[in-house]
Amino acid sequence: MKKHTKPIFCALLAVLWLCSVAQAAPLVTKAEQMVVTATMSERKLLDAPGSVEVITSEQIREINALTVADALENALGLVVTRESGRVEVPSIRGARSKHTLILLDGRRLTFGFNDMVDLRQIPTVMVERIEILRGPASALYGSDALGGVVNIITRTPPADWSGEIGAQYGINREGEGAERVAGALAGGHWNRFGILLAAELRKRDKWDSDGIVPDDGFEQKPAMAAARLTFDIDDANELSGGFEYIDNSTEGTQFFAKQERKRWAEETRRGAYLQYDTRIADTHRLMVRANRSDYSNDIGFLPYEASGERSADYYTNQLEFRYSGLYAGNYLVTAGLDWRREGLKDTQIGVKTDNDVDNSSVFLQNEFNLTDPLSLVLALRYDHHGEFGNRWSPQVSMVYAINEALRLKGSYGQGFRAPSLTELYVTSFRRRGRDIYEPNQDLKPEKSTSYEVGIEGVFNRVTAGLTYFHTNVDQLIEILFDRSTGSGQKRIDYYRYANISDATLKGIEAEAGVDLGYGLSFAGNFTWTDTSVESTGKDVGAHPEYKGFIKLGYRLPQWDIRSNLRASYTGRLKNAAGETFSYTLFSAHLAKGLGNRGEIFAGIDNIFNKKVSWDGVERIEPTSYYAGLRVRF
């Protein structure tokens, strides 16, 4: 047996065994969990078409995930990568971060620094759950959903007035990187009005384990405030809205333009929306929503370096109309119209860019049972892009109920990503001033064709799933070397965006969970991913070939104690120089409930102080300790 097939074979055997030991067991409550991202309509997780994972607020707390980036670290088929400026972004099934669409309550978040949505900027204090849809979703969501969708779903105003206050403190084993966190959440209903308010303040000191420039971790001061408002006009009509304000300042030492400098950055992300929902009849719904999302940053260096100074403003204005209705008791039709304008103002190297682009679209989806055990979902979307014209995105998905506990799933779909305004118009410095990336207005959209097949089961003590996926990406946009100027220490390399080739992304995803009894539980997942660019044979981006995660949990209800021990494995990850890394990280968490009044908790991350670094930056943080308190009222 070939070396790289052994983990895949073992994962297959494990999933099949877990399914076989519980064939006759009844379904558990988890099978009733509802998701919305896969079809824009509520479906049970077991019956949702495609590959969907849900990370609940309870799971987020079990790993003390303070940000969405932390919460996604161990998701199946997804890797959180650290890119330029220490930005943390998701990569699904080997696709680039730009191929993953980030939504907040179904609303688009505008791009940030270098066309990336930094998930470190989004705290979890207000998050109800995170739904991850793996695979192309352009048939519903249009451009940028070529690889998948991450939908961050926040809490809504509770029926009764309630709230929570929390605080925690953490520090690493070097006595650096001290982090202080304080947050609050409160809301309720008064007659027909509902309100939910949330805020969080954090401060993290810089850390540098080797004392060599650059700093391994910059000083950060994130802050967040958000609100959700609802007004029940009557039993069939509701008006809702809200806003988010997220600010972060960072400061640290690094090299730029061949000199040690202090780098500072100020980032602000804002969002606001207004939504109207009406129920025309028991089986017909209409939604109208206006959404505004914007991001701004200012970056500079001291001693001052003109080429390193950069300011950027991104924004997205969006207007959506969505209808869903049930016909003949079997056909759930969802249709929508979408208009979106994206804009960018960027200033770097003395070059000012000010551009925007419009996109208009219409989509139609039909969910129905072809036979009693077989359901189909057919979707088609038409996009008209202001720069690249028309694009059709079809998708077909099926779910076959083998029995009450087991589902066979399959899907075929096409996705696309239009070149971003940055790739088309912005010239920027990269790699601390050593490289210059130049735009290309002749770029063409990236396109993908994907299919997958999988089997999932939810049983009395066991959950399990196995999926094979295969995606071809055409006209992949890459950076190509163009020329150099200067020599030695004064050399600068110039690169240009170009549609260079096609890429193939394929792999296997396996997951399983078992209630072992006596308060013990086990959950784990494993992904094998094979990515390559046809013209070069190289991998697509920094995505590991193997990724695995296991968690052993323990609950002692009579004392209200919860704990877990976790291990995450990253195998055959390549850096830009072609070096290969593999590593395993261990972490632990312990919480003691205080009845209805809250809980105290503590934990350790990276227990054995595993270190991995390249390109002069420590990629894995040293062992860190934290403890905190939450109080409910």
Side-chain angles (χ1 to χ4, degrees):
M1 183 180 295
K2 293 182 179 179
K3 181 178 180 180
H4 73 273
T5 62
K6 289 182 179 179
I8 303 167
F9 180 72
C10 293
L12 176 61
L13 287 180
V15 171
L16 292 178
W17 176 77
L18 288 170
C19 289
S20 66
V21 297
Q23 280 291 332
L27 289 169
V28 296
T29 305
K30 185 177 178 181
E32 305 300 318
Q33 188 172 25
M34 308 300 290
V35 295
V36 297
T37 307
T39 59
M40 290 188 178
S41 59
E42 284 195 339
R43 273 212 173 202
K44 293 179 181 178
L45 179 58
L46 184 62
D47 294 321
S51 299
V52 184
E53 180 177 358
V54 178
I55 301 174
T56 66
S57 57
E58 180 181 5
Q59 292 171 319
I60 290 172
R61 290 190 171 184
E62 285 177 349
I63 61 173
N64 195 48
L66 297 176
T67 69
V68 171
D70 298 334
L72 295 178
E73 283 282 358
N74 300 310
L76 177 64
L78 184 149
V79 174
V80 176
T81 63
R82 296 179 65 184
E83 301 199 11
S84 57
R86 291 175 168 82
V87 172
E88 295 187 4
V89 292
S91 168
I92 295 178
R93 289 182 170 175
R96 297 193 180 282
S97 61
K98 294 182 180 182
H99 299 153
T100 300
L101 177 63
I102 309 298
L103 303 175
L104 183 61
D105 294 320
R107 300 175 284 121
R108 276 180 176 256
L109 290 178
T110 196
F111 289 126
F113 181 72
N114 288 337
D115 289 340
M116 294 178 284
V117 177
D118 187 359
L119 298 179
R120 295 178 311 158
Q121 297 173 340
I122 307 174
T124 58
V125 63
M126 201 176 181
V127 173
E128 175 66 28
R129 68 184 188 274
I130 303 172
E131 295 184 4
I132 305 165
L133 176 60
R134 302 188 299 275
S138 292
L140 287 183
Y141 298 101
S143 180
D144 308 320
L146 184 150
V149 176
V150 173
N151 190 7
I152 305 158
I153 299 175
T154 61
R155 301 185 187 185
T156 57
D160 299 319
W161 289 97
S162 60
E164 181 178 287
I165 298 175
Q168 75 174 65
Y169 176 82
I171 195 167
N172 67 29
R173 63 178 290 169
E174 311 292 339
E176 299 180 313
E179 186 170 31
R180 307 155 191 88
V181 184
L185 183 76
H189 270 78
W190 181 69
N191 293 331
R192 293 182 177 272
F193 291 92
I195 184 171
L196 181 67
L197 302 175
E200 183 179 272
L201 292 175
R202 294 170 56 198
K203 184 181 185 300
R204 184 169 191 190
D205 299 337
K206 69 177 183 179
W207 60 276
D208 191 7
S209 60
D210 56 14
I212 301 174
V213 177
D215 289 335
D216 294 323
F218 284 3
E219 179 185 75
Q220 300 180 49
K221 296 179 181 178
M224 184 277 286
R228 297 290 182 264
L229 304 169
T230 62
F231 174 61
D232 296 326
I233 301 172
D234 55 37
D235 292 341
N237 296 274
E238 181 185 71
L239 192 64
S240 59
F243 74 87
E244 309 88 33
Y245 177 86
I246 303 171
D247 180 80
N248 186 27
S249 62
T250 60
E251 185 178 293
T253 303
Q254 71 174 61
F255 279 106
F256 186 84
K258 313 299 190 293
Q259 182 177 341
E260 180 181 331
R261 305 173 194 271
K262 180 181 292 184
R263 181 187 187 272
W264 59 267
E266 288 283 346
E267 302 175 280
T268 303
R269 180 175 289 279
R270 295 169 293 265
Y273 73 98
L274 183 64
Q275 180 172 321
Y276 170 69
D277 292 274
T278 183
R279 186 174 69 251
I280 303 172
D282 288 341
T283 57
H284 297 268
R285 304 286 191 275
L286 178 66
M287 184 273 286
V288 181
R289 180 167 61 201
N291 173 41
R292 164 78 178 192
S293 177
D294 62 65
Y295 167 90
S296 61
N297 73 0
D298 289 288
I299 301 171
F301 289 89
L302 295 173
Y304 177 74
E305 171 59 48
S307 64
E309 187 177 42
R310 182 178 185 183
S311 63
D313 294 280
Y314 300 76
Y315 73 85
T316 296
N317 292 330
Q318 186 177 17
L319 184 62
E320 300 175 83
F321 298 85
R322 188 183 308 161
Y323 161 81
S324 64
L326 185 65
Y327 292 87
N330 188 42
Y331 299 93
L332 179 58
V333 176
T334 303
L337 299 172
D338 181 286
W339 173 86
R340 185 174 74 252
R341 172 169 291 172
E342 297 173 325
L344 165 65
K345 293 181 180 180
D346 194 294
T347 301
Q348 189 177 23
I349 322 176
V351 178
K352 295 183 178 180
T353 302
D354 188 351
N355 294 93
D356 59 52
V357 63
D358 290 347
N359 187 91
S360 301
S361 62
V362 58
F363 70 87
L364 180 66
Q365 176 184 264
N366 188 8
E367 307 170 56
F368 61 97
N369 291 325
L370 187 63
T371 63
D372 185 34
L374 177 63
S375 64
L376 295 179
V377 180
L378 308 178
L380 180 65
R381 182 181 176 110
Y382 166 80
D383 282 271
H384 177 75
H385 194 279
E387 293 284 346
F388 302 105
N390 305 328
R391 173 68 186 171
W392 292 92
S393 301
Q395 186 155 341
V396 180
S397 303
M398 60 81 77
V399 179
Y400 183 83
I402 298 175
N403 57 38
E404 185 185 6
L406 208 57
R407 300 291 187 270
L408 178 66
K409 298 184 179 184
S411 69
Y412 166 88
Q414 295 181 0
F416 79 101
R417 185 185 78 89
S420 69
L421 293 173
T422 298
E423 293 166 331
L424 292 171
Y425 301 109
V426 176
T427 300
S428 62
F429 269 96
R430 304 292 177 99
R431 290 212 314 144
R432 307 182 186 94
R434 291 175 288 179
D435 299 339
I436 293 180
Y437 283 16
E438 296 183 323
N440 182 357
Q441 297 183 30
D442 295 326
L443 291 173
K444 299 177 182 178
E446 298 173 307
K447 299 179 291 184
S448 73
T449 301
S450 177
Y451 63 86
E452 66 178 67
V453 61
I455 187 169
E456 297 179 12
V458 180
F459 309 97
N460 184 37
R461 292 180 177 268
V462 178
T463 64
L466 183 70
T467 302
Y468 172 80
F469 64 89
H470 190 286
T471 300
N472 291 319
V473 182
D474 300 329
Q475 301 177 162
L476 184 70
I477 296 176
E478 287 277 358
I479 283 292
L480 290 183
F481 176 76
D482 186 57
R483 66 191 187 279
S484 295
T485 60
S487 60
Q489 293 294 319
K490 295 184 178 180
R491 171 172 169 158
I492 296 179
D493 294 329
Y494 289 79
Y495 295 81
R496 196 164 187 257
Y497 292 102
N499 297 99
I500 63 166
S501 183
D502 301 338
T504 300
L505 318 172
K506 60 183 178 181
I508 291 177
E509 300 163 340
E511 60 180 334
V514 186
D515 180 356
L516 300 172
Y518 305 101
L520 292 169
S521 63
F522 168 86
N525 62 56
F526 173 83
T527 307
W528 166 69
T529 308
D530 181 18
T531 68
S532 62
V533 178
E534 292 185 8
S535 62
T536 64
K538 296 182 178 180
D539 293 341
V540 181
H543 198 97
E545 184 174 357
Y546 304 118
K547 179 176 179 285
F549 170 72
I550 57 174
K551 181 176 72 174
L552 180 64
Y554 177 70
R555 289 176 179 264
L556 189 61
Q558 57 267 39
W559 289 359
D560 202 3
I561 290 177
R562 301 175 303 281
S563 64
N564 64 75
L565 177 65
R566 311 182 304 276
S568 60
Y569 171 71
T570 300
R572 296 185 58 81
L573 174 65
K574 290 184 180 179
N575 63 14
E579 300 172 303
T580 302
F581 296 87
S582 296
Y583 56 88
T584 303
L585 304 178
F586 292 87
S587 301
H589 181 81
L590 174 66
K592 170 68 173 71
L594 304 175
N596 295 325
R597 294 173 294 177
E599 66 176 2
I600 55 175
F601 59 91
I604 307 175
D605 291 328
N606 191 7
I607 295 174
F608 299 107
N609 198 36
K610 181 67 178 180
K611 294 184 177 181
V612 177
S613 64
W614 65 80
D615 199 24
V617 177
E618 191 77 34
R619 299 289 168 162
I620 303 299
E621 297 190 13
T623 301
S624 59
Y625 315 90
Y626 63 85
L629 168 70
R630 297 186 186 96
V631 177
R632 290 188 287 268
F633 57 89

